[in-house]
Amino acid sequence: MTNTPANEKWIEHRAEQLILLDQLKRAELFNGRAAMLGIVLGIVTEAITGSGIAHQIGLGALVDGYAACRTQFLPFCF
């Protein structure tokens, strides 16, 4: 069997696809590990400081507003 130009092109294209899939797999693995580390650090910081994760990242007012809305302390709910 001889390699025709079309066959060689297909092989090159398939090799590029496999390389990209491998890179994507490694990137997703890294992202997952970074997310797990972030959650663990947030929980540890919450245990040490008593400040929740939402307050740590600056969303405390949103959470507090939701709690006030649920307990009817605010005249409006968002």
Side-chain angles (χ1 to χ4, degrees), residues 36-47:
M36 288 186 281
L37 180 63
I39 291 294
V40 168
L41 289 175
I43 291 171
V44 168
T45 304
E46 182 176 354

Side-chain angles (χ1 to χ4, degrees), residues 1-51:
M1 181 173 140
T2 61
N3 283 338
T4 62
N7 193 21
E8 288 177 8
K9 234 178 189 180
W10 179 85
I11 291 172
E12 288 175 8
H13 181 67
R14 184 65 182 145
E16 289 174 5
Q17 285 179 335
L18 291 174
I19 290 169
L20 289 174
L21 285 174
D22 184 53
Q23 290 173 343
L24 180 65
K25 181 181 175 183
R26 281 189 267 141
E28 288 297 324
L29 189 61
F30 177 79
N31 287 341
R33 288 176 178 167
M36 288 186 281
L37 180 63
I39 291 294
V40 168
L41 289 175
I43 291 171
V44 168
T45 304
E46 182 176 354
I48 293 171
T49 65
S51 176

